[in-house]
Amino acid sequence: MSNLAMRNPGFVGREVALGQVRQLLIEHGRVVTRSHDRMGGVGKTQLAIEYAFRFAGEYDVLWLVAAENDELIGGHLAQLALASGLVGADVTTPAAVQALHAAIQANQRWLLIFDNAEDPNTLAPWFPPRGGHLIITSRHPGWDEIAAPVEVNLFERAESLLLLQRRIPRLPDDGADRLAEALGDLPLAVAQAATVMTETGMSTEEYLNLLAHHTSEILDGGKPGNYPTSLAASIRLSTDRLAQEHPAAAQMLNLCSVLAPEPIPLNLFTRSLALLPEPLASVGRNRLAFYNVVKTIGEHGLAGTSHDGIQIHRLIQAVVRDRIDDRHLTLIRGQVATVLAAAVPNDTNDPASWPLWSTLAPHIIAIDPTTTTMDQLREAACQLMLYLLRRGEHQPALLLAERLHRHWHERLGPDDLHTLKAAAEHAHAIHVLGNIHQAHPMIVDTLARCRRVLGDDHPQTLRASHDYGVSLNALGEYAQDLAVSHDTHARYRRVLGDDHPDTLRAAMSLAGALFAHGEYAQDLALSEDALARCRRVLGDDHPDTLRAAVSFADTLHELGEYAQARAMKEDALARSRRVVGDDHPDTLRAALSVASTLHNLQEYALARAMKEDVLARSRRVRGDDHPATLRAAMSVAETLHSLREYAQARVMKEDVLARFRRVQGDDHPETLLLMRSLAITLAESKRVMQARIMIDNVLNRQRRIIGANHPQVKRTLKVRAQIAASMGGAVAARRNRSSRRGGR
């Protein structure tokens, strides 16, 4: 299996480098092809691809991963896992990458090429821990501790001559030598010159004369200072001829030049013909003619084509852009931004849309929504943030949200609608990563601005109000959360209607607030209604429906309906694993919920296995101190307690309590539940006095924080009575022992 484009028939030389790559891969498993002076166009990628074809018999999978955008690498690896049949199309990136790593470890015959990598520290975590071979191509330093280096520099003169005379059979030696000298033996420039001369029939003298008169300044904007001008000049010759002979193809090339140097799906353009310039729009109405436009660009040596679409090298893109004046380039960016915005899926929460999001993401980033003046592109960028969050790619979402928020805050002001949207997703990303106290002031500020600028009933204000309630709940401010969630839900119903997806999410949040507040009967009724509406409006497998099912089942569990809760939870878990993957936060929550019900059904061995699996995954995906990880750890400890492994349970509970106190504070309601759980284990561990002191502390704090009538306070009173009884039994036992000693 391979995603490599057609083998380059013009590849020449590099025998020593190919031998080095082979030997170092056998010895170390990882190789980086690089240029000593960080020059582009020397053939680092071509060397890696030629190696792949030459040694294809040694591998079952050959796959090139575009590695320029750090935040998108996971998505590319997820696509490989999908293409390999390891996962479904709707899994989260972490789950897909985990499956991919496991497959590579099990079957060593994989070759992955990470192309145009930037930062070693960012890329390294995506590598499989063991197995397979990796080739990294990069112009950046810092790879020596990660991969064995193979230097790729300019052609030897003999290699330049071989390439030119293979592509232009009648080219004499002296003509080839003059061309190589003028092109500076830069591989991409040499290959480009051969393409121009072959396709146009141009003589050596004509080419050299045009090259001299079309030479322009070195590529600006961070290109190496000693980069040959001849590369830009040769590309300009091809683009000149393309513009003269195929105006529609030249327009297509211009549009593609402002997108990412990754595959561009052709239906991005064919679905939005009315948004394209003429004559490209007219040509596009004939599908065969449109594909001939793409073919023509490839024939001019300016692009590669495959089933994934058209792909243009970043250096060629840069030269093309360099030829366009600022006014026209702004117009082109606007046209492309409009086309991209039109292609964006509506529902970021629907896993069926995620493959398209993965394809569009690098191009939305490339068009630079931080500086755009187009509302459509800003809106697409906001949707991209949501997609990353919904898919469980929280760290990439945070990076993008922080950048958009910062730039839009500076350019548009803090009260602009898109700045407010970016602020909301920025805070959301921080919140889901477990930094609740850091996110809360941002959420409060965003809500205040939305209310002042947009009004109380604007959809963005309602979203900010919803986030505020969720944050209050996470902070343990249950009474305040309940009031906010009631108001938000009522407004959503009035503004958007009972069945709008946003209203349904608000209903689920209100149900969660009722649950936290101990209003289980009201929670049950609202949760059941929300679940029924989600199933009817969104479908049985939509992530929102699955979250609603788990929430409803949690309330059934709380009311003692364990058998019904178990059946619902197990169904939701199976669907969640299939829809979003094993490591998605929704799946981890559902799995822990199932395990908790199994625990209450006294199926302790099965509950323990499930809980320990959730804990291991949560630690890997979220980190040791994430609140969800701490809940999973405490849940494991409670099952250990039920299995009478009191010593291990006590150690785990003490560790979790210490971490939770540090993260959430002493008075958080969950902290108090953890203390109560620890007190129970202390009592069983014959530390009855310590347990009594702790449970009294819990009871006093709960009465003050959640109220004396909360169901959790009543449970704490029962635990306190049990501990008191244990103390009485212990005292009686000591008296009996003393009496027996006195009698003797």
Side-chain angles (χ1 to χ4, degrees):
M1 185 181 70
S2 171
N3 74 334
L4 300 181
M6 184 178 66
R7 188 175 187 176
N8 180 5
F11 187 90
V12 298
R14 305 298 202 195
E15 295 300 326
V16 172
L18 286 166
Q20 290 176 334
V21 171
R22 180 61 183 166
Q23 186 61 35
L24 290 172
L25 283 176
I26 292 172
E27 294 176 358
H28 302 287
R30 298 177 181 178
V31 163
V32 56
T33 60
R34 65 186 187 187
S35 171
H36 177 70
D37 55 8
R38 303 176 66 179
M39 181 180 292
V42 297
K44 302 180 294 296
T45 301
Q46 288 298 318
L47 177 67
I49 293 174
E50 176 64 19
Y51 169 86
F53 279 107
R54 191 168 297 192
F55 292 95
E58 302 296 323
Y59 303 98
D60 295 327
V61 178
L62 307 170
W63 206 265
L64 188 143
V65 179
E68 180 179 22
N69 288 319
D70 297 336
E71 61 266 38
L72 302 180
I73 294 170
H76 295 317
L77 293 176
Q79 291 299 105
L80 170 55
L82 173 63
S84 304
L86 300 175
V87 297
D90 46 12
V91 301
T92 62
T93 294
V97 173
Q98 182 187 7
L100 180 65
H101 287 177
I104 293 174
Q105 183 175 345
N107 176 6
Q108 305 285 317
R109 292 167 56 85
W110 292 64
L111 174 65
L112 303 186
I113 301 172
F114 288 85
D115 188 35
N116 201 47
E118 299 277 348
D119 182 2
N121 295 323
T122 303
L123 184 62
W126 295 109
F127 294 158
R130 293 177 298 278
H133 286 170
L134 307 182
I135 301 178
I136 305 152
T137 76
S138 180
R139 288 194 295 163
H140 299 271
W143 296 96
D144 290 356
E145 295 182 4
I146 295 175
V150 172
E151 298 292 340
V152 185
N153 295 308
L154 297 175
F155 269 158
E156 297 293 335
R157 179 55 54 87
E159 292 174 321
S160 295
L161 301 183
L162 179 60
L163 188 153
L164 287 166
Q165 292 181 311
R166 179 179 291 178
R167 298 276 298 276
I168 313 170
R170 298 181 181 180
L171 182 66
D173 291 345
D174 65 325
D177 189 69
R178 291 167 62 201
L179 284 169
E181 178 68 25
L183 295 168
D185 293 304
L186 181 65
L188 184 56
V190 173
Q192 192 73 28
T195 298
V196 171
M197 294 178 68
T198 300
E199 294 188 350
T200 63
M202 192 178 296
S203 69
T204 301
E205 294 301 327
E206 289 175 317
Y207 183 88
L208 291 174
N209 181 57
L210 289 170
L211 181 63
H213 289 90
H214 281 76
T215 302
S216 61
E217 295 182 352
I218 297 173
L219 290 174
D220 53 10
K223 300 297 179 184
N226 58 350
Y227 190 84
T229 60
S230 52
L231 174 62
S234 63
I235 295 173
R236 289 185 177 102
L237 287 172
S238 293
T239 55
D240 277 348
R241 187 166 295 276
L242 187 71
Q244 293 170 6
E245 299 177 357
H246 305 280
Q251 287 181 324
M252 180 77 168
L253 179 65
N254 288 345
L255 294 174
C256 293
S257 74
V258 300
L259 290 168
E262 297 181 32
I264 304 165
L266 298 182
N267 61 11
L268 177 67
F269 302 104
T270 57
R271 289 178 178 176
S272 302
L273 294 175
L275 303 176
L276 301 180
E278 291 291 349
L280 180 59
S282 296
V283 172
R285 295 186 182 96
N286 181 323
R287 188 57 58 89
L288 180 60
F290 180 79
Y291 282 107
N292 282 334
V293 163
V294 176
K295 179 183 176 183
T296 298
I297 298 173
E299 289 173 345
H300 279 71
L302 295 169
T305 58
S306 69
H307 64 278
D308 293 324
I310 184 171
Q311 186 171 11
I312 303 177
H313 193 283
R314 59 186 48 81
L315 297 179
I316 296 177
Q317 288 179 311
V319 174
V320 171
R321 292 193 303 269
D322 190 51
R323 302 205 70 191
I324 305 171
D325 63 75
D326 290 343
R327 185 190 64 81
H328 192 202
L329 190 60
T330 299
L331 177 63
I332 290 172
R333 289 185 186 278
Q335 292 169 333
V336 171
T338 303
V339 169
L340 275 173
V344 166
N346 292 324
D347 187 0
T348 57
N349 215 25
D350 182 3
S353 72
W354 291 353
L356 177 56
W357 271 113
S358 180
T359 299
L360 295 178
H363 303 299
I364 294 173
I365 293 173
I367 206 71
D368 194 8
T370 64
T371 59
T372 185
T373 60
M374 297 186 62
D375 286 346
Q376 302 100 306
L377 184 59
R378 292 185 191 131
E379 193 62 33
C382 292
Q383 293 291 96
L384 175 56
M385 289 186 284
L386 270 173
Y387 152 71
L388 292 170
L389 288 165
R390 298 288 189 257
R391 189 159 184 170
E393 298 184 42
H394 297 153
Q395 193 62 44
L398 176 62
L399 294 174
L400 178 61
E402 189 280 330
R403 186 159 62 93
L404 292 175
H405 184 204
R406 173 165 42 85
H407 282 277
W408 289 348
H409 188 281
E410 294 172 355
R411 294 173 62 87
L412 308 175
D415 292 341
D416 177 83
L417 175 60
H418 290 106
T419 304
L420 293 172
K421 289 186 175 184
E425 304 314 337
H426 188 190
H428 185 186
I430 293 171
H431 178 98
V432 297
L433 285 167
N435 300 313
I436 298 166
H437 293 275
Q438 179 186 352
H440 188 71
M442 297 174 62
I443 293 170
V444 172
D445 178 73
T446 301
L447 175 58
R449 292 179 184 278
C450 285
R451 283 173 170 165
R452 175 169 49 79
V453 176
L454 305 173
D456 289 346
D457 287 345
H458 189 281
Q460 189 59 36
T461 305
L462 296 179
R463 162 65 196 280
S465 180
H466 177 263
D467 289 350
Y468 180 49
V470 170
S471 183
L472 288 170
N473 187 286
L475 292 169
E477 301 290 345
Y478 296 153
Q480 194 175 354
D481 168 33
L482 185 58
V484 170
S485 295
H486 264 302
D487 179 72
T488 303
H489 181 233
R491 291 178 184 277
Y492 264 124
R493 293 179 67 190
R494 186 176 70 254
V495 174
L496 299 178
D498 287 345
D499 287 344
H500 191 282
D502 290 348
T503 305
L504 296 177
R505 279 190 282 270
M508 287 187 280
S509 292
L510 174 56
L514 289 165
F515 183 96
H517 208 253
E519 303 288 348
Y520 301 133
Q522 294 183 53
D523 167 27
L524 186 70
L526 183 58
S527 294
E528 187 172 23
D529 179 73
L531 175 58
R533 292 177 185 276
C534 282
R535 284 172 170 164
R536 175 167 50 80
V537 174
L538 303 173
D540 290 345
D541 286 346
H542 193 280
D544 284 350
T545 304
L546 300 179
R547 282 191 287 270
V550 173
S551 295
F552 178 55
D554 280 341
T555 306
L556 289 173
H557 172 110
E558 199 67 23
L559 294 171
E561 301 290 343
Y562 300 134
Q564 185 181 354
R566 175 182 183 173
M568 288 195 67
K569 290 180 179 185
E570 288 179 336
D571 177 72
L573 174 59
R575 293 174 185 271
S576 189
R577 283 172 169 161
R578 174 168 50 81
V579 172
V580 297
D582 289 346
D583 286 347
H584 193 280
D586 289 353
T587 304
L588 295 179
R589 182 200 163 197
L592 190 62
S593 183
V594 170
S596 296
T597 298
L598 291 173
H599 176 107
N600 280 39
L601 289 168
Q602 298 184 1
E603 296 189 29
Y604 298 132
L606 182 55
R608 177 180 181 175
M610 287 191 69
K611 289 180 177 185
E612 287 179 339
D613 179 69
V614 172
L615 177 58
R617 293 176 184 275
S618 192
R619 281 173 170 163
R620 174 168 47 79
V621 173
R622 294 158 154 167
D624 290 345
D625 286 344
H626 193 285
T629 303
L630 297 177
R631 292 184 195 106
M634 181 57 74
S635 191
V636 170
E638 288 174 344
T639 298
L640 291 173
H641 175 102
S642 295
L643 290 168
R644 299 189 177 185
E645 297 183 24
Y646 300 131
Q648 187 178 353
R650 179 176 60 80
V651 170
M652 283 195 71
K653 290 184 178 184
E654 288 174 340
D655 177 70
V656 172
L657 179 58
R659 292 174 183 272
F660 208 89
R661 276 176 164 158
R662 186 172 66 248
V663 174
Q664 295 286 54
D666 288 343
D667 284 346
H668 192 285
E670 287 191 73
T671 304
L672 301 180
L673 295 181
L674 300 180
M675 290 175 64
R676 185 178 71 192
S677 180
L678 176 57
I680 295 171
T681 300
L682 289 171
E684 292 290 350
S685 303
K686 310 304 180 185
R687 302 187 181 194
V688 184
M689 184 58 70
Q690 185 180 355
R692 175 60 182 269
I693 294 171
M694 182 171 287
I695 201 66
D696 285 345
N697 186 8
V698 170
L699 184 59
N700 291 333
R701 289 175 183 269
Q702 282 185 326
R703 284 170 169 164
R704 173 169 52 84
I705 294 165
I706 60 177
N709 293 323
H710 195 287
Q712 292 296 346
V713 175
K714 297 176 183 178
R715 293 181 186 179
T716 301
L717 284 168
K718 291 181 181 180
V719 172
R720 184 177 181 273
Q722 292 166 357
I723 293 174
S726 297
M727 288 186 67
V731 170
R734 284 197 297 271
R735 287 175 178 170
N736 288 336
R737 287 195 296 270
S738 298
S739 297
R740 286 196 295 270
R741 284 195 297 269
R744 289 195 295 269

